[in-house]
Amino acid sequence: MTLPFLIGLTWWLQRNYQKDPCLTPRCCLQVYLCQVPFCSDSCSWSKITVTSILCTLLRLAELLWNSNVPLLVCRTYGLVGYMRVIIKEHTVVESHPDNMLEDLRLDKPFPELREHVQSYHLDHMDKKDHSHTPWIVIVAKYLTKWFNEKSDQLPKSYKEKEAFRQLIRQGILKNENGTPEDEENFEEAIKNVNTALNTTEIPRCIEDIFNDDCCINLTEQSPSFWILARAVKEFVANEGQGSLPVRGTIPDMIADSNKFIKLQNVYREKAKKDIAAVGNHAAKLLQSLGKAPESISERELKLLCSNSAFLRVVRCRSLSEEYGLNTFNKDEIISYMDNPDSEVVLYLMLRAVDRFYKQHGRYPGVYNYQVEDDIGKLKSCLTGFLQEHGLSVVVKDDYVHEFCRYGAAEPHAIAAFMGGAAAQEVIKVITGQFVIFNNTYIYSGMSQTSATFQL
């Protein structure tokens, strides 16, 4: 966010103070404009705005949306927490998925890996070498045997995988009494059969990125993410032969240092070749766009190639779309209303109390003597909101009573939790790591549950 924009926003708030009594100095202090340096070649700045303003939210959201500045709305109302991320496009390279499988390519071994595996002769090894052979090599060797003797397909069913494990067990050395030796590397191979035999394919989300209009129709203004994504797409269609660049890492395993390093180098060297090939495609794309070759750094290239299976793009709807009668996403709400206690009910109640505030200039139940009278008024606001947006859903009266008893209070425990959650999302946006939610987060302090919705 540039200094003129900061000054302009301050001027806009001050200028509208007389016109809008909601714009109190306290409201102005609730706008936090954070500038955090983000390491890049151009020494640019990453920007995000965090706000809890309600009465001027739509105007502020539109202003920031048009300026392409991310906005995070964070709110506590009684035992309910609410967050809304508003960002046109957020690209993530390092998404850090929870269940990340190793990229071993055992179903489609590249030539260097095939040659390396063939250099091992398990039947002619002494006990020491046999018990220190990496489990990846063991699985690869017996997978070749499986293809030759059993099937031309990978073991997929439980029965087939058990048969493959038994095939590996038969390879364990036996002593003079015919008892199997204690070979931990073979046990490690048997244990990793499920994850080692995963099919090498391009994830659906990556296919969607390749088919995205931003990837297909590059322009001079295209960010480096989309240029590199297009370069990876070109690689897949040519050198990759339908596969993404090799990640170049292998897990720790039982093996002697020499064998482990040799296997590790096979994957690393292949990854380097793939990165170089993607880099050549990227250089051609930059040239066609009239951009300097150094506009994409070597670090960016390596990082995206090693994470090419985990790229993510998040596009949120604007707040004006959410609040517009013709663009309101009622199908999303209706789909969750099969459960009368779904967290989406809390969202509807928050919209109802905002409607109450607009009509009465205060929140329901702020003072104890108002609670009983405000229950009927809030219920009327809720009914009006549902009818106006074409929502034929039923909200239990218990929620109306509860929100009146809240009296717009902000309990410190709920506020602290939401503050921590909001800080986490801000860090995700600034660093470009991990995936932000899209686009609404609701927390229920009553049931200690939370949910996200695309509203």
Side-chain angles (χ1 to χ4, degrees):
M1 193 178 299
T2 60
L3 185 60
F5 181 75
L6 285 170
I7 295 172
L9 180 58
T10 306
W11 171 82
W12 178 81
L13 289 167
Q14 292 174 344
R15 187 171 182 269
N16 285 275
Y17 170 66
Q18 297 297 331
K19 299 178 183 178
D20 191 344
C22 295
L23 281 173
T24 61
R26 180 175 178 272
C27 283
C28 296
L29 289 174
Q30 287 180 313
V31 181
Y32 303 98
L33 302 173
C34 310
Q35 285 194 322
V36 182
F38 180 64
C39 295
S40 69
D41 291 343
S42 59
C43 295
S44 61
W45 294 79
S46 202
K47 314 101 179 172
I48 187 166
T49 303
V50 185
T51 180
S52 59
I53 292 177
L54 297 177
C55 51
T56 58
L57 182 57
L58 283 172
R59 280 179 285 170
L60 179 63
E62 184 180 3
L63 181 66
L64 297 175
W65 180 268
N66 293 334
S67 301
N68 204 27
V69 176
L71 170 65
L72 175 63
V73 181
C74 186
R75 180 182 188 185
T76 300
Y77 196 97
L79 295 179
V80 177
Y82 164 88
M83 276 197 295
R84 172 70 153 87
V85 172
I86 306 159
I87 185 169
K88 283 186 178 180
E89 181 181 279
H90 178 60
T91 55
V92 184
V93 175
E94 297 177 88
S95 61
H96 302 285
D98 293 330
N99 302 310
M100 183 175 66
L101 296 174
E102 298 292 341
D103 183 23
L104 303 178
R105 308 290 173 102
L106 297 183
D107 62 325
K108 295 180 180 178
F110 45 92
E112 296 87 347
L113 177 60
R114 190 182 296 111
E115 183 181 341
H116 181 76
V117 170
Q118 288 173 352
S119 68
Y120 283 80
H121 303 284
L122 297 176
D123 296 335
H124 300 90
M125 286 182 174
D126 59 29
K127 182 180 176 181
K128 181 182 177 182
D129 285 339
H130 197 270
S131 61
H132 287 84
T133 299
W135 70 260
I136 292 176
V137 174
I138 294 171
V139 173
K141 294 290 283 187
Y142 282 94
L143 194 58
T144 302
K145 189 174 182 179
W146 171 274
F147 290 145
N148 293 334
E149 299 178 4
K150 304 284 186 179
S151 170
D152 57 351
Q153 299 292 324
L154 281 174
K156 293 181 180 178
S157 66
Y158 174 79
K159 185 178 179 180
E160 289 175 340
K161 287 181 179 179
E162 276 301 306
F164 184 67
R165 291 187 182 97
Q166 187 57 35
L167 189 65
I168 295 175
R169 285 191 187 96
Q170 292 172 4
I172 298 176
L173 291 180
K174 295 178 177 60
N175 59 24
E176 61 274 7
N177 297 323
T179 305
E181 296 281 0
D182 184 17
E183 294 192 298
E184 292 180 288
N185 57 335
F186 271 75
E187 293 299 330
E188 201 172 36
I190 292 168
K191 186 179 72 174
N192 284 285
V193 163
N194 273 339
T195 55
L197 299 183
N198 59 301
T199 306
T200 302
E201 57 186 6
I202 299 176
R204 177 67 181 274
C205 59
I206 305 302
E207 290 279 9
D208 291 340
I209 289 175
F210 287 165
N211 296 325
D212 195 286
D213 186 63
C214 291
C215 185
I216 296 171
N217 301 312
L218 296 175
T219 66
E220 192 176 347
Q221 286 72 41
S222 293
S224 59
F225 174 89
W226 288 112
I227 296 173
L228 287 173
R230 175 65 176 275
V232 172
K233 182 180 180 181
E234 298 290 339
F235 169 86
V236 170
N238 295 282
E239 298 91 342
Q241 298 179 352
S243 298
L244 294 170
V246 170
R247 203 177 307 156
T249 58
I250 58 174
D252 290 334
M253 63 191 72
I254 296 169
D256 61 50
S257 298
N258 185 47
K259 290 185 178 66
F260 180 81
I261 291 171
K262 282 183 178 180
L263 180 61
Q264 189 179 53
N265 286 337
V266 168
Y267 282 94
R268 282 182 176 175
E269 290 303 315
K270 174 59 176 171
K272 287 180 181 178
K273 288 182 181 179
D274 289 353
I275 290 170
V278 174
N280 289 335
H281 288 294
K284 292 176 183 177
L285 290 169
L286 289 172
Q287 186 178 11
S288 67
L289 295 171
K291 302 183 76 170
E294 59 272 13
S295 58
I296 294 179
S297 67
E298 189 71 19
R299 179 183 176 277
E300 283 181 287
L301 174 63
K302 289 180 178 178
L303 192 63
L304 190 133
C305 286
S306 61
N307 289 277
S308 59
F310 314 121
L311 306 178
R312 297 292 184 270
V313 176
V314 179
R315 292 188 177 105
C316 300
R317 302 176 79 223
S318 68
L319 208 61
S320 60
E321 288 177 302
E322 179 185 337
Y323 278 72
L325 287 177
N326 297 325
T327 52
F328 180 73
N329 192 0
K330 65 179 182 179
D331 292 337
E332 177 81 358
I333 291 175
I334 293 171
S335 67
Y336 284 96
M337 285 303 292
D338 291 339
N339 176 11
D341 294 313
S342 168
E343 288 81 1
V344 78
V345 173
L346 303 178
Y347 169 79
L348 297 176
M349 289 305 307
L350 288 173
R351 293 293 298 269
V353 296
D354 287 344
R355 192 181 182 95
F356 184 103
Y357 186 93
K358 186 176 181 180
Q359 292 180 6
H360 303 282
R362 61 177 178 84
Y363 288 108
V366 174
Y367 298 104
N368 289 336
Y369 70 86
Q370 298 173 323
V371 173
E372 292 302 321
D373 291 339
D374 286 350
I375 287 174
K377 295 176 182 177
L378 180 57
K379 189 171 183 179
S380 176
C381 290
L382 176 62
T383 303
F385 172 79
L386 295 176
Q387 290 176 348
E388 189 176 284
H389 290 80
L391 292 168
S392 54
V393 298
V394 178
V395 176
K396 293 191 291 189
D397 288 346
D398 291 348
Y399 286 101
V400 177
H401 291 207
E402 194 68 23
F403 269 73
C404 282
R405 283 194 291 269
Y406 287 158
E410 296 179 312
H412 65 277
I414 306 297
F417 175 83
M418 293 305 297
Q424 180 174 287
E425 297 305 310
V426 170
I427 291 170
K428 288 178 184 178
V429 173
I430 292 172
T431 62
Q433 296 193 38
F434 297 93
V435 184
I436 60 174
F437 64 84
N438 185 7
N439 51 32
T440 302
Y441 172 87
I442 301 289
Y443 170 72
S444 171
M446 296 173 282
S447 60
Q448 297 290 297
T449 58
S450 62
T452 58
F453 308 98
Q454 293 191 34
L455 300 175

